[in-house]
Amino acid sequence: MRRPMMAGNWKMVCDNTAAVELAGGIVADAGQTAGCDIVIAPPFTALSAVNEVTADSPVALAAQNMYWEDSGAFTGEIAADMLLSCGCEYVILGHSERRGRFGVIPDGFTEELRSVFGDNDATVNIKAKAAVAAGLKPIVCCGELLAEREQGMTDAIVSDQVRAFLAGCSDAEFNAITIAYEPVWAIGTGEVCDGDEANRVCGIIRGVVAEVAGQEVAEAMRILYGGSVKPDNVEGLMAQPEIDGGLVGGASLKADSFCTLIQVAARN
Ligand code: PEP
C-alpha cells in the first residue's frame, strides 16, 4: 500500500507573516491527520519562519526548486544543504512554471521569455540526483501542454519526460522520488483533468517506472495528480487506484480547503 501525500505549492505567494499564519492554520486543522503525508512548499524566503511553526508537527516542508551544486558563484540559486538547514524534507523539481512551458510573458515581449527559468528533463534529472544525495526527497513534475493533448501526444510526451528525468537513477534515488502528473493546461486554470483520464496517465507513468526501475519500485512509487484540485473535485481524483495524492496550488492557499483535501486523500 502506498501512503497518500497531499502537497501544497504556494508558488510566489505569501510574505513571511502570511506564510506563518497559513502554516499555523494547516498545523492546527490537519496536523494530526493520520494516513496522509502532508507537505507544504512556501517561497524560499518563508521556509525558516514556517519551519518554526511546522517543526514539531506532521506537516513537512518542501522547497519549490533547488540548484544541483553544493555552493559557489551561482547568484540567486539555492543549494540542497541550505534547504535542509531551513527544515526542508522535500523539494519540488521540474514544475511546468519552471520548465518554461507555461511562462507569463509581459506585454511587448516575445515568446522567447517562455524559457526564462530554463528547467528541462536533463536539468531535473541532475537536480533530483543532487537532492537525494543531500538527503532531500524530490517531487518531480511532468505533464503535457494542451496542444500536445489535442494532437494525441499525451502518452508519448509524459513517458519521454519520465524516462528522461529518471535516467541513470539508483535504487536509493527511485525510492526517494515522488512523481507528480500535472497536465499543464489544468494548472491554475480551474479546468481539472477527468479522474479516469488522470488515472490512465498515472498508470502509463507507473508503467514507465516499471520499465526503467522494475515492477517493485513502480508499485512503491507515489504518483500524485496536480492541476486545479479543489474540495469539490478531490473525491473523484483520490478514489482512483493509480493516484496517490495531490500537488495543489490555489486550493493550498487557504487552510480550510487544503485541510479538506488532506482529509479526502487520507481516506483513500
Ligand atoms: C501547481 O501549482 O502545481 C498546481 C497544480 O496549481 P493549481 O492547483 O492551482 O492548478
Side-chain angles (χ1 to χ4, degrees):
M1 273 300 280
R2 297 178 293 269
R3 185 173 161 83
M5 175 192 289
M6 191 54 68
N9 173 17
W10 296 4
K11 312 194 187 196
M12 197 176 72
V13 180
C14 288
D15 63 14
N16 281 15
T17 306
V20 164
E21 193 181 328
L22 177 53
I26 293 166
V27 168
D29 282 6
Q32 304 313 316
T33 306
C36 180
D37 284 349
I38 306 167
V39 180
I40 54 175
F44 289 132
T45 46
L47 286 170
S48 287
V50 170
N51 186 40
E52 299 278 312
V53 180
T54 56
D56 294 321
S57 82
V59 178
L61 213 49
Q64 299 174 19
N65 183 34
M66 57 164 266
Y67 190 50
W68 58 76
E69 291 289 341
D70 293 339
S71 74
F74 306 105
T75 304
E77 292 295 329
I78 308 278
D81 278 346
M82 298 171 183
L83 300 178
L84 288 164
S85 75
C86 295
C88 286
E89 186 177 338
Y90 295 89
V91 58
I92 298 171
L93 296 175
H95 192 283
S96 65
E97 289 157 15
R98 296 214 55 86
R99 286 171 179 264
R101 307 190 98 225
F102 192 58
V104 177
I105 304 172
D107 288 346
F109 287 83
T110 66
E111 283 281 315
E112 285 152 42
L113 275 188
R114 270 195 196 283
S115 58
V116 70
F117 300 130
D119 275 356
N120 56 47
D121 294 326
T123 59
V124 170
N125 175 264
I126 305 172
K127 288 182 181 191
K129 290 173 180 169
V132 178
L136 287 168
K137 299 175 196 161
I139 300 172
V140 188
C141 305
C142 58
E144 80 287 358
L145 298 169
L146 181 59
E148 292 163 345
R149 171 161 286 269
E150 286 171 348
Q151 289 165 42
M153 294 164 64
T154 298
D155 298 5
I157 291 284
V158 172
S159 299
D160 285 354
Q161 288 175 337
V162 174
R163 258 183 224 108
F165 67 60
L166 292 182
C169 281
S170 65
D171 283 350
E173 287 155 354
F174 289 130
N175 290 337
I177 288 172
T178 296
I179 295 177
Y181 168 54
E182 297 212 307
V184 179
W185 50 270
I187 297 176
T189 59
E191 205 174 323
V192 69
C193 187
D194 169 73
D196 289 340
E197 173 59 9
N199 187 63
R200 189 191 69 78
V201 181
C202 289
I204 301 268
I205 292 170
R206 200 174 303 285
V208 175
V209 177
E211 178 193 304
V212 299
Q215 195 61 34
E216 206 176 318
V217 169
E219 291 298 330
M221 185 166 292
R222 283 190 288 203
I223 303 178
L224 314 181
Y225 166 79
S228 296
V229 178
K230 304 267 185 283
D232 65 3
N233 60 31
V234 66
E235 294 271 1
L237 290 160
M238 295 305 123
Q240 301 288 344
E242 295 291 359
I243 299 177
D244 305 315
L247 177 56
V248 183
S252 72
L253 293 170
K254 291 265 186 307
D256 57 350
S257 62
F258 189 54
C259 292
T260 301
L261 305 184
I262 292 166
Q263 281 149 15
V264 174
R267 283 204 301 270
N268 285 277

